[in-house]
Amino acid sequence: MCGIVGYVGGRAALDVVVEGLARLEYRGYDSAGVAVLADGKLATAKRAGKLVNLRGVLEEDPPPAGTLGMGHTRWATHGPPNDRNAHPHVDCTGSVAVIHNGIIENFAELRAELEESGHGLASDTDTEAVAHLLEEELKAGDGLAAAMRRVCGRLDGAFTLVAMHTGDPDLVVGARRNSPLVVGVGEGENFLASDVAAFIAHTRDAIELGQDQIVELRADGVRITDFEGRPAEVKEYHVDWDVSAAEKGGYDYFMLKEIAEQPRAVADTLLGRIGADGRLRLDEMRISDRELREVDKIIIVACGTSYHAGLIAKYAIEHWAGLPCEVELASEFRYRDPILSPTTLVIAISQSGETMDALMAVRHAREQRAKLLGICNVNGSTLPRECDGVLYTHAGPEIAVASTKAFLTQLVAVYLIALYIAQTRGTKWGDEVFAMVQLLERMPEKVEKVLETMEPVRELARSLAGERCVLFLGRHVGFPVALEGALKLKELAYMHAEGFAAGELKHGPIALIEEDLPVVVVVPPRARDVLHDKIVSNIQEIRARGARTIVIAEEGDESVVPYADTLIGVPAVPTLLQPLVTTVPLQVFACELATAKGHDVDQPRNLAKSVTVE
Ligand code: M6R
């Protein structure tokens, strides 16, 4: 959710902070604000809406130049997205400013206490209470970091906090619990941010902050302690992508760039995982072969698009590894009574590694002593730290809110895991695993081929911009693809879109079919004759009732031609791998249709890239 930037060094802090906010805007765009400390005074500016509004304010009334600053881009939780609730928030004296990502769950109680002791709170936010609590704690005279430690001890919930105080004019303080915060280490300057993208133009050296840690950021150094003030163990790392990866690179939208990057992302995720002997090597898994052999059940937890990757994983795991596999929405998982044991493997899939629902599911599974494996795209995020092992996808930074390349690379990761388990447990012969791996290695080329043939899909999307509803049907792994196609259309085009298992149609949803209703059908490869023929019958059923059929089928599948109003051909690949090629036209379709409707596809309304609240 919200994006946070902090800076201290030799440059004009405002420029560094606003540039950082521009790179973090995907995290939330309800409002933006900055604070700069100059000549012993704090100056703040904030404005509801996207960063462009704040830029207007800063141009009209620039704050004094200072070399210490911080900025915030908000995804509203407490209080409507207006100027008043925009961060930073200040205390009664105007000498402390705070920005925050997360939710302070006991804020009502803290607010009441503060109001009773005479503090005037100017906003509806939970964050503002922190500014006033700091004001109280600073009276002890031991500085901002010590005050922050004591305040953190009083807070419940999830928070990343960054604060500045006129009494500590060369210091920015950050605190982290359950929300992301990374340090960028420069020369004579240092950075704080929710995501390395904010400072990647200045440094690729980063420090990952752990749970319940405080960072004191000065131009000449960084000190990290726990909430009790003890020096903390930290993990330094070098970011393996550069600023060009976080820029649009000539595309109108990040989403277009990220769709186009998919062949490379798929190839990168496979890289280094196949040994010279053809055997899979997943060293980062950190779950021993013995432990893997003992696993008797797999549960996958994830949200949104990552959940759809999990649904596809189930087919691959059960087919190749012969293990029962359940897939559960992470937000539901801990509210039932999942049966877990030390021989259960829980796989959490999350692009960002910061999705609170996924993290809470993982913590619940940990309490039940299950083994934990993460699939994650963001190095330095929370999920990998909380799992026994991790398989990183190498999609590179995904900035558009709608997930595209992260999804395809998650699929590659789950295929690798399923095959690795099959290899370890001996449910597939070595040569069978190798044959499948070879097919996987050809997938970048297949995805590239799909991308080369997308003009008719774009044309179709533009022609449907006036529709109110689109349905998506699939069977087997085509069902999660249908769900993903519908999710993309909902989040980008704000249209009613539903994905159904085609076999379920006759049990209710067929009543939705009316004259000219666009229905996208994902057809399995012809090699799966039973499945294939069943869905061809489903297409006929909906067409007979007037639906306008948009059929995605493998090239050369003549059997669907008579029933397809529009036919989108994809390269022939094995059934389990088909989502890698059938999802791409659906991404292009949603992106183009939303663009035709005039929507900003990188920042769809009401959404944020990583959902760090439950
Ligand atoms: O970072 P995560 O993979 O955990 O995010 C999960 C969902 O919030 C995410 O996939 C969301 O559904 C996307 N906006 C879909 O395009």
Side-chain angles (χ1 to χ4, degrees), residues 303-306 350-352 355 401-403 487-488 491 611:
C303 307
T305 289
S306 300
S350 173
Q351 186 283 133
S352 60
T355 300
V401 164
S403 191
L487 176 62
K488 287 278 112 43
E491 70 177 331
V611 184

Side-chain angles (χ1 to χ4, degrees), residues 78 100 102-111 126-127 130 154-159 177-178 334-335 356 360 612-614:
H78 291 63
H100 166 223
I103 292 181
I104 295 162
E105 284 164 4
N106 56 337
F107 98 100
E109 189 185 301
L110 295 170
R111 187 182 176 108
D126 48 347
T127 309
V130 176
R154 299 207 52 202
L155 307 178
D156 293 338
F159 50 84
R177 169 181 289 166
N178 282 338
R334 70 189 178 116
Y335 299 105
M356 188 53 73
M360 296 313 280
T612 54
V613 293
E614 266 193 283

